Amino acid sequence: MRNSPWLVTTYLVIIFLGILVALPNVIPQPTLDRLPAWLPHSRVSLGLDLRGGSHLVLEVDRGDLINERVQSLLQESRRVLREKNITTTAIRRTGDTVTIALRDAAQRGAAVTELQTLANPVNFGTTVGASDLAITTPSDNTISVAQTEAGINSHITAAVDQSLEIIRQRVDQVGVAEPTIQRIGSDRVLVQLPGEQDPTRLRQLLGSTAKMSFHLLGQQGEAGVTMLSDERGNQYPVLDRVELSGDRLTDARAAFDQQTNEPVVNFRFDSAGANRFAQITQQNVGRPFAIVLDNKVLSAPVIRTPITGGSGQISGGFSVSEANTLSALLRAGALPAKLTVIEERTVGADLGADAIQMGLYSGLVGFVLVAVFILVLYGTWGLLANLALLVHTILTFSALTLVGATLTLPGIAGIVLGIGLAVDANVLINERIREETRKGRGAFAAIDVGFNRAYSTIVDGNMTALIAAAILFYFGSGPVRGFAVTMGLGLIISMFTSVAFVRVTMIAIARRYKLKVINIQSMFRFSPYDKHIQFMKARFFGVAVSAILSIASVGLFFYPGLNYGVDFRGGIQMSVKTQGPADLAKFREGLNTLDLGEITLQSFGDPNTILVRAQRQEGGEEAQTAAVTKLKDEVVKIDSTATVQGTDVIGPKVSGELAIAGFLSVFIASVAMLIYIWVRFEWPFAVGAIVTLVLDVTKLVGFFAITGLDFNLTAIAAVLTMVGYSVNDKVVVYDRMRENMRLYKSMPLRELIDKSINETLARSLYTNATAFLSLLPMAIWGGSAVESFAVPMAFGILVAGASSVFIAAPILLFLGDWRTRHKAQAEAAGEKAVGDGERPSQA
């Protein structure tokens, strides 16, 4: 029991470096800028929910990309066959296939050879190098050209890669600081823009393909003419033939017309474009010339004189903002495919500042409550536990800084919960040392045995919580992932601070002060230690009450049902704050006149804040943008003091995916924990834990139904965390049962279970209390962003603590008794079979 000097030095270096890395997070920026360059300067970056900004997920329009490629194949097929004098009777499109009818079947081989030149090699996936086209010959004079699935996927991947760069250029054009632009999966792009508050402009900037082209006008009804409209609804008969494409533009700038003083966009072509533009304007003086962007006419001026300077001007009644956005789009270039906004979340800077304040205050109060509780529980030895807790918090922030994690409000909740779970290990160790001291062991023996026996329990408990965190990270997104990261890091770091650091420090204190015994005294007289409560006498009552509550919760799930948030049902959600108490009736009356379908209003947090929800609008992304604008305008019209603090717009595809991922994650986490307990213990323990888990989860779902709290991604995080915490709680009791089974082999199972529960009662009460205290301030003051997490988690902790004693243990007793009876019956049947087999020989 001597501390290795190398080990102590290593621990001190780890803590010192952790403090050094975490320090920039609390130093003001001006002071930080003056520090030497060799010192750490990195900070934990704040999520959009803490600093304000916009979050958009865009998806490549697969149908649009396929359509463009088919149209291109149609034109290219005509060109290559015409150049080689291969005659055809028809080249037409059939669905997503180009069908070519040859006049002479003898030219089939030559036609196939020429059409193969249109193919491109696949650059991504498992079929790299293969052709992106499937060319078949259904008959002697018919050839079909279609894209392969690998080819389509390759085009989508390439389109996303190209889109990333173009989006980055567009964002840079409008000067947004610190944007996050990254790929998600195979066909999506995530864009996060801190401080950018206008989602309408964002959609226009990012969702627009910006494919610009110049066309002459024809006559309505004429072949090769398509009717296109402008922003005001005016119709133009635009010839399909592109006279000049926008990729010949080299520059575009917003300016003001010198005569009318209205905002315009001046553009300039490259040399080839300038020559072509001059040629078009020379040949078509007096004819209207349409400038088309994404199938909408920007303007259609009449060519008065030839334009030979290689530049021109677009006017269309633009506002200054619209002119700036259009010029940015044209400078960055066209996207290779249409991008659809499938998820949008906007948080106001004021709401972000409030969230930081609430998060810090509630987190700090939670820390203080836990620290005071530990001090009351363990007296002077509680100071060591609190020091470990402080080191744990510092190292958590240093780890978040090192890994470049983004701190969100649910992430703060994860840190607070991590503190509660770190205390769990301290409580386990202190209670074990107390127990060994009561058995008469000396100081060093009590430390050694106490840590060794607590260690396996701590590992088992943390592993179950880590399983929940890993699955949350894998299936979650955005803030939920942030919560999983902080919770996971907190659990891993607690293995160092609560076990390694505390052990070394305890040994050092015992040796320094030559302690004969470790006397851990509470500041109040409550001793749950030498109790002999016969918990199993109430087993039928406990299981019956739990079953009734769970059945009632299932009923509440169906009626009135869960209050599904916008994450799971899609649509528009808007947070509105007024200076005085919000008049819900007045808002409801005004918003229902907008003809946006079902609109629900809900007051939350305080009387001045309301949540406005509108159903998903028909008509694609433009309809969502128009609906958001209508809602905002009407809100200000109803109450001039009202401000929109945040907006969420979720498409049906995303909401469906989030719902499936959420429920799947709960199921997979439960199965993973079942397997873990089965491996670490025996099957009756695993079955007992999983049945109890089902009962605990149903009660939590019932709690959501009866309180009407938003059931969203944060709620799924609460359910998963409760699953991990519940199993953690069961593992501690199970671990003591397993230990006692080895010590008291002849003790009846019922007595052994009662004994184990009594021995772990103090630990269960204390750890439930610390976890509850750490979350209580977050539940009260955390605000709407974490309300769906902290409130049900506080309830879930109480349920999990009670179920460990009154549900999990009785189920284990029932299964144990059944296995004993089954074994006895099998042995009796075996003896009878042996006896029957011996009788003939005796005769």
Side-chain angles (χ1 to χ4, degrees), residues 724-741:
Y725 187 84
S726 177
V727 176
N728 182 335
D729 211 55
K730 313 294 177 279
V731 162
V732 175
V733 180
Y734 282 174
D735 198 67
R736 181 57 66 95
M737 289 177 187
R738 181 175 58 180
E739 184 182 326
N740 285 337
M741 283 175 181

Side-chain angles (χ1 to χ4, degrees), residues 305-423:
T305 57
I307 303 171
T308 57
S311 62
Q313 186 182 88
I314 306 170
S315 60
F318 304 126
S319 66
V320 174
S321 174
E322 286 169 343
N324 282 324
T325 300
L326 176 58
S327 60
L329 288 169
L330 297 179
R331 281 197 303 275
L335 288 167
K338 183 181 177 184
L339 292 177
T340 304
V341 179
I342 57 174
E343 181 182 348
E344 172 198 312
R345 300 178 191 272
T346 306
V347 179
D350 291 342
L351 187 61
D354 290 345
I356 292 175
Q357 190 176 40
M358 287 188 294
L360 289 176
Y361 286 169
S362 56
L364 189 62
V365 172
F367 183 93
V368 169
L369 285 176
V370 170
V372 170
F373 186 71
I374 291 297
L375 197 62
V376 170
L377 275 185
Y378 301 123
T380 51
W381 286 106
L383 292 172
L384 175 58
N386 285 335
L387 176 62
L389 211 57
L390 183 61
V391 172
H392 173 273
T393 307
I394 292 169
L395 292 184
T396 300
F397 272 97
S398 65
L400 290 170
T401 305
L402 287 173
V403 301
T406 300
L407 186 63
T408 59
L409 198 52
I412 293 176
I415 293 173
V416 173
L417 185 64
I419 290 169
L421 294 173
V423 172

Side-chain angles (χ1 to χ4, degrees), residues 79-101:
R79 181 183 61 79
V80 296
L81 295 177
R82 186 172 59 247
E83 288 175 356
K84 297 298 179 181
N85 296 318
I86 298 172
T87 56
T88 61
T89 56
I91 299 178
R92 62 183 181 278
R93 175 177 180 172
T94 309
D96 292 334
T97 302
V98 174
T99 304
I100 300 149

Side-chain angles (χ1 to χ4, degrees), residues 96-144:
D96 292 334
T97 302
V98 174
T99 304
I100 300 149
L102 299 173
R103 190 177 298 279
D104 184 0
Q107 291 184 306
R108 186 180 65 176
V112 169
T113 301
E114 292 305 319
L115 291 170
Q116 283 172 342
T117 63
L118 304 179
N120 296 311
V122 173
N123 297 320
F124 303 94
T126 57
T127 56
V128 173
S131 173
D132 69 335
L133 295 181
I135 300 174
T136 58
T137 52
S139 65
D140 289 345
N141 64 342
T142 307
I143 302 172
S144 293

